[in-house]
Amino acid sequence: MATAYGPYGPGAAPHGSLGAALRAPFHGRVWRELLYLLISLPMAVVSFAYTVTMISLGVGLLITFLGIPVLGVALAGCRALGYVERARARGLLGLVVADPGPPRPRNGKDGRRGTGPLAWVGAVLKSGTSWRHALYAVLHLPWAVFAFVVGTVLFSYGWGFVTYPLWRWVFPAFTDRPGLQLWGDHDGNAFYLDTPLEIAATCVIGAVVLLLTPPTVHGLTSVDRLMVAGLLGPSRLASRVWELEEDRGTVVDTAAADLRRIERDLHDGAQARLVSLAMDLGLAKEKLEEDPEAAARMVDEAHGEVKLALQELRDLARGIHPAILTDRGLGPALSALAARCTVPVTVTVDLPQRPAPAIEGIAYFTVSELLQNISKHSAARSAEVDVWRAADRVMLQVTDDGRGGAHTSADSGLAGLAERLDAVDGILVVHSPAGGPTAVTAELPWR
């Protein structure tokens, strides 16, 4: 995965504005891009020489037992050079490319992951990332030479011509020439830039070259950005596998937390009431013959405990998966949920059909948690819930007119909700300025 800023940084004026074009040659980002091109040439030479030499040596030694280890070391060195290239692109181009994962030895026939030098060498050789790093080292050299020549020529001629009046005195002072020589022959005929008109024309040409240099240099570094992101970053498959592994961990942690919550609610709520109910009924049974009136009061109290226990069990079952959601869908379930909120809530659901049951459940519990936050923390007078479908996504938005200040930092409840949505390729966006209002938008896949 790679991210990058624009050519002149965030917040800069667009390319088409005259002011941005005039300021571009003096922008720090342009100078950093030029520095990147200057450093690219020696780096490309080192990488190319190392890669070609080591891989050729390894291939040549394949007839012996040394060939495979040498190839492994060669590719490991290419990965190390790739780390330097990613750091250079991050520091000078603002391009953030994730480091590819380390080579992982495959599991053996016994199901255990291989260990030791041989397993590591095998993992490096079988890794497509390693070979992409080697390919980058080979392809980058010709491009680095071309970009170096173009970038240095444009900058040197642009700044040289535009500042020509400042250093033209060097020619008559230290040579026998009146100015910069454009051409000459063996017969002594030559053309020099020494008249005021010629000097002014040189400055104009230099200014034009200087104005064309920033977009040209940015175009050259754009190719470098593509090469670094495409060859030195993790592949899409590897990124997806890593993302799925993280999502799996989030789902497992969420399921474990839900099980602990259910166990705690049962133990501290309904189970405790049922134990108390059993004891009360036992006492009532003993007093039934001695004191019928006391036994009747105890049975009446036990009846009240039964009602409370049933209500807690219903609330617990609703927290696991409400029956109304299964039977009637998201609209009626959210309306029932809004009716229990302490703040008046308007619910609008516009779905042509029901989404997948898992997505429907996640949407329900997302709204449930957001409404709980509104009831507890927002001091709002009203709230709205909107649910609709956009292409292959389910969109839901919960807004309130409370005091605002909601955020998804690590210590907030919204952070856990964002992780749950991310586990199913969902997105949570919070807009909650201080003083309100607050708008929380969630996006979920339809299937």
Side-chain angles (χ1 to χ4, degrees), residues 22 37 44 72 96 138 230 261 349 387 403:
L22 295 176
L37 296 180
V96 181
V138 174
R261 176 183 60 82
V349 178
V387 183
R403 53 172 166 248

Side-chain angles (χ1 to χ4, degrees), residues 44-298:
V45 171
V46 171
S47 300
F48 182 88
Y50 169 84
T51 302
V52 172
T53 301
M54 292 297 293
I55 291 184
S56 299
L57 179 62
V59 172
L61 291 175
L62 283 177
I63 58 175
T64 69
F65 69 96
L66 294 176
I68 298 298
V70 171
L71 282 177
V73 173
L75 294 179
C78 291
R79 293 174 71 104
L81 291 171
Y83 177 83
V84 176
E85 288 293 290
R86 287 190 298 273
R88 193 164 64 91
R90 181 168 55 251
L92 296 177
L93 300 183
L95 176 68
V96 181
V97 179
D99 293 334
R104 297 182 179 182
R106 295 184 179 180
N107 296 337
K109 295 182 179 180
D110 57 354
R112 297 181 180 179
R113 190 175 296 277
T115 57
L118 291 179
W120 176 82
V121 170
V124 172
L125 293 177
K126 294 176 182 178
S127 171
T129 300
S130 302
W131 292 103
R132 283 191 285 110
H133 279 65
L135 180 62
Y136 173 86
V138 174
L139 297 179
H140 189 226
L141 178 60
W143 173 253
V145 173
F146 173 79
F148 178 89
V149 172
V150 174
T152 53
V153 167
L154 287 177
F155 257 78
S156 59
Y157 275 88
W159 284 105
F161 282 175
V162 83
T163 59
Y164 179 59
L166 302 178
W167 54 274
R168 189 185 70 87
W169 61 270
V170 173
F171 294 98
F174 297 98
T175 67
D176 58 351
R177 299 175 181 178
L180 185 65
Q181 180 180 342
L182 285 187
W183 61 271
D185 55 26
H186 296 290
D187 298 331
N189 299 318
F191 181 79
Y192 298 96
L193 300 174
D194 54 351
T195 66
L197 180 60
E198 293 168 351
I199 295 173
T202 302
C203 290
V204 172
I205 294 174
V208 172
V209 173
L210 202 59
L211 292 177
L212 294 176
T213 299
T216 304
V217 170
H218 181 68
L220 295 173
T221 55
S222 295
V223 177
D224 285 277
R225 288 182 173 92
L226 292 175
M227 294 179 66
V228 172
L231 295 176
L232 300 184
S235 64
R236 290 186 177 181
L237 178 60
S239 301
R240 184 58 177 166
V241 169
W242 180 258
E243 181 181 352
L244 290 176
E245 287 180 351
E246 288 188 338
D247 292 346
R248 181 182 62 183
T250 301
V251 171
V252 171
D253 292 341
T254 300
D258 289 339
L259 289 175
R260 287 193 298 270
R261 176 183 60 82
I262 294 171
E263 189 276 335
R264 184 180 62 252
D265 291 344
L266 284 173
H267 182 272
D268 298 340
Q271 181 179 349
R273 290 193 180 276
L274 291 175
V275 171
S276 175
L277 174 62
M279 295 176 61
D280 291 343
L281 290 176
L283 293 175
K285 182 179 179 181
E286 294 178 357
K287 290 183 174 293
L288 184 60
E289 297 181 356
E290 300 176 0
D291 190 353
E293 294 182 359
R297 287 195 302 270
M298 297 179 69

Side-chain angles (χ1 to χ4, degrees), residues 314-341:
R314 279 194 293 267
D315 293 340
L316 181 61
R318 188 182 295 114
I320 298 173
H321 195 86
I324 188 174
L325 179 62
T326 304
D327 298 336
R328 301 179 59 188
L330 199 55
L334 293 182
S335 298
L337 187 65
R340 297 194 298 271
C341 185

